[in-house]
Amino acid sequence: MEGKKKLFHSRTFKYGSNTALRTVIFTAILVFVVLIVQNHPWRVDLTESKEFTLTDQTQKILKSIKIPITIKAFYQEATRDRIKAQDLLDTYKYYCPNLKYEFIDPDRHPEIAKNYDVKTYGTVVVEGAGRKQTITLLNEENLTNALMKLIQTKKKVIYFVTGHGEASINDFDKNGYSMIRRELEKENYEVKTLDLLHTEKIPDDASVVIINGPKKALMKPEIETLRKYLDSGGKLIVMLDPFYDGGLKNFLKDYGIGIKNDIVIDKLSRVFGGSYLMPVITKYTRHKITENFNIATFFPESRSLTKVEKTKPGINVMLIALTSSGAWAETDTKTLKEKNTASFDPNQDRQGPVCLVMMSEITPEKKTEKKDDTGNKNKKEDNKSDKKDNL
């Protein structure tokens, strides 16, 4: 009997020891796994739409960031938008250890919101390298672009053409462009003026050249300088007031953009408290420029644009912003000036929607070399390069 008791106790001790040993081993494995996860976190996106997966380009940019980045997200507490924003910021932080973020409720901390010039919920301020970028719509594209601007060591330069009665970037009156210059500088752009009469070539550092409302015509050498700039891959923005073409009518026509001698009337603007000479745009065509651009914009004293039917090979023209069908392009400017009234004439005026903004993409032809029967190389042109110039 005593032998059986000893055997029972021996087996109990043996099984108890095995259980304790397994528990210790299991606990050790758990601790080991936790330590690995803490030092080497691993994420898997199991959503069907890959909601928490960043593009390869964004991942590459995040992994290349070596400087500290701080993000301040101004959201109300316990809102759906804040939860969504945190998911995106967590994903960015996973790929970029140098990135830190914090949420700030503008209602609870109005002094911080005021310091960062935050006017709407959902504003995100990204800081780094002594600079900052502000975005009002948080998504992957906007956040990645903001980060790229911070880590760029070289500023992009924007040139405003001068010498033809254009509004000055240094004027602080209502017609001046000082506010635009200031906003561009906030976005880390460098803004300069450009006198085409005294240069035969657009500077190599030009990201874009802007012609803003010239009152006098550009001379032929100036236009040729612009043409060479576009042919070499440059980008140009042209803004023309009604009845002033700046001598650029034929130049724009070559790139598929037609301008008319008219002024756009839009009585819908009265609903928004504006003048009928201030057409309103509420809808935009699908394009990268207008993506997520869901706000109404006004264009005081605008002229209409049309698509040129026959254009050179490689010219692709797109309509960007159009008025409502209630607007029209008015040609009877005499009555408009003398009596300050306008009425639609189907025989002379053009009924809306009227295009106010157009874009022309230019794919220059690339010359390729072919050998003739003698083995010599001859240049043939027909192939198009993938490089596009924007107008």
Side-chain angles (χ1 to χ4, degrees):
M1 195 69 181
E2 290 181 2
K4 289 182 177 180
K5 286 184 179 180
K6 289 181 179 180
L7 180 63
F8 174 76
H9 287 301
S10 176
R11 288 179 177 176
T12 302
F13 176 76
K14 181 179 179 181
Y15 292 142
S17 300
N18 289 340
T19 302
L21 181 61
R22 289 173 184 170
T23 302
V24 171
I25 293 174
F26 180 72
T27 303
I29 292 173
L30 282 180
V31 171
F32 182 68
V33 170
V34 169
L35 290 173
I36 291 177
V37 170
Q38 285 181 341
N39 292 282
H40 304 281
W42 183 53
R43 291 167 61 101
V44 178
D45 188 356
L46 299 177
T47 60
E48 185 176 350
S49 60
K50 297 301 178 183
E51 183 179 351
F52 304 107
T53 300
L54 302 178
T55 62
D56 293 339
Q57 181 65 18
T58 294
Q59 292 180 32
K60 184 177 179 181
I61 292 170
L62 289 173
K63 291 174 182 178
S64 70
I65 294 177
K66 305 301 180 184
I67 61 173
I69 298 292
T70 302
I71 297 177
K72 290 181 171 60
F74 292 86
Y75 286 81
Q76 289 178 300
E77 292 186 2
T79 60
R80 199 171 186 176
D81 288 341
R82 174 168 171 160
I83 295 173
K84 188 177 180 181
Q86 185 168 356
D87 289 337
L88 180 63
L89 293 175
D90 280 340
T91 306
Y92 269 70
K93 184 173 174 57
Y94 171 73
Y95 289 103
C96 181
N98 290 320
L99 186 149
K100 296 180 180 179
Y101 71 85
E102 63 175 319
F103 281 95
I104 300 171
D105 189 333
D107 297 327
R108 296 193 175 190
H109 301 282
E111 71 286 354
I112 301 178
K114 183 179 180 181
N115 185 45
Y116 282 93
D117 196 26
V118 174
K119 296 181 174 62
T120 58
Y121 297 117
T123 299
V124 175
V125 180
V126 188
E127 297 178 293
R131 301 190 295 270
K132 68 178 180 180
Q133 293 290 317
T134 302
I135 54 179
T136 55
L137 179 63
L138 182 61
N139 55 34
E140 180 182 347
E141 181 181 2
N142 291 341
L143 184 53
T144 300
N145 286 338
L147 290 170
M148 286 182 63
K149 290 177 182 177
L150 289 183
I151 63 178
Q152 284 175 347
T153 56
K154 187 178 180 181
K155 286 186 177 182
K156 291 186 176 182
V157 183
I158 297 176
Y159 284 91
F160 282 80
V161 173
T162 61
H164 315 90
E166 301 91 347
S168 173
I169 60 174
N170 298 314
D171 283 350
F172 290 90
D173 58 24
K174 64 177 184 178
N175 295 320
Y177 273 49
S178 61
M179 184 178 293
I180 293 177
R181 184 200 69 198
R182 187 165 61 249
E183 291 300 319
L184 288 172
E185 289 172 345
K186 282 184 181 179
E187 296 296 321
N188 201 34
Y189 289 101
E190 187 174 355
V191 182
K192 297 181 179 181
T193 57
L194 178 64
D195 186 352
L196 292 174
L197 278 176
H198 293 85
T199 182
E200 295 181 356
K201 182 178 180 295
I202 304 295
D204 292 333
D205 63 352
S207 296
V208 64
V209 174
I210 299 177
I211 301 175
N212 56 310
K215 296 298 184 288
K216 297 179 180 178
L218 277 72
M219 299 181 70
K220 187 175 179 180
E222 295 177 290
I223 295 175
E224 288 305 311
T225 299
L226 292 172
R227 195 183 299 277
K228 291 177 182 177
Y229 170 66
L230 287 178
D231 290 343
S232 63
K235 296 176 176 63
L236 176 67
I237 296 176
V238 180
M239 298 179 286
L240 298 177
D241 296 326
F243 320 121
Y244 295 94
D245 64 15
L248 298 170
K249 185 176 182 178
N250 292 330
F251 170 77
L252 293 174
K253 186 178 179 180
D254 290 341
Y255 297 102
I257 299 175
I259 58 176
K260 300 293 184 179
N261 194 30
D262 55 29
I263 188 167
V264 178
I265 305 294
D266 188 1
K267 294 188 176 180
L268 179 63
S269 300
R270 292 293 181 91
V271 178
F272 295 90
S275 165
Y276 59 82
L277 292 177
M278 188 184 294
V280 58
I281 305 293
T282 56
K283 293 184 179 181
Y284 309 87
T285 56
R286 294 178 63 86
H287 192 274
K288 200 72 174 176
I289 294 175
T290 57
E291 189 176 15
N292 299 319
F293 196 67
N294 55 350
I295 59 174
T297 51
F298 294 86
F299 292 78
E301 298 188 10
S302 299
R303 72 193 310 153
S304 70
L305 301 175
T306 59
K307 219 172 175 182
V308 176
E309 292 184 3
K310 294 182 179 180
T311 58
K312 298 177 182 178
I315 302 294
N316 181 28
V317 180
M318 292 153 286
L319 310 182
I320 300 296
L322 297 95
T323 67
S324 67
S325 58
W328 72 88
E330 178 64 52
T331 57
D332 186 6
T333 56
K334 183 178 180 181
T335 302
L336 182 63
K337 290 179 181 179
E338 292 178 354
K339 299 182 179 180
N340 198 29
T341 59
S343 59
F344 178 69
D345 183 348
N347 296 321
Q348 297 185 16
D349 303 329
R350 187 158 50 89
Q351 184 69 55
V354 179
C355 182
L356 302 183
V357 181
M358 296 179 71
M359 178 177 178
S360 176
E361 286 188 345
I362 309 146
T363 305
E365 293 183 343
K366 184 174 69 173
K367 294 183 178 180
T368 59
E369 293 182 342
K370 272 191 175 183
K371 291 185 178 180
D372 58 18
D373 295 336
T374 61
N376 296 323
K377 292 180 179 180
N378 293 327
K379 291 185 178 179
K380 300 288 183 182
E381 53 180 40
D382 275 316
N383 293 335
K384 293 181 179 178
S385 73
D386 294 330
K387 188 175 182 181
K388 288 185 177 180
D389 314 327
N390 295 327
L391 180 68

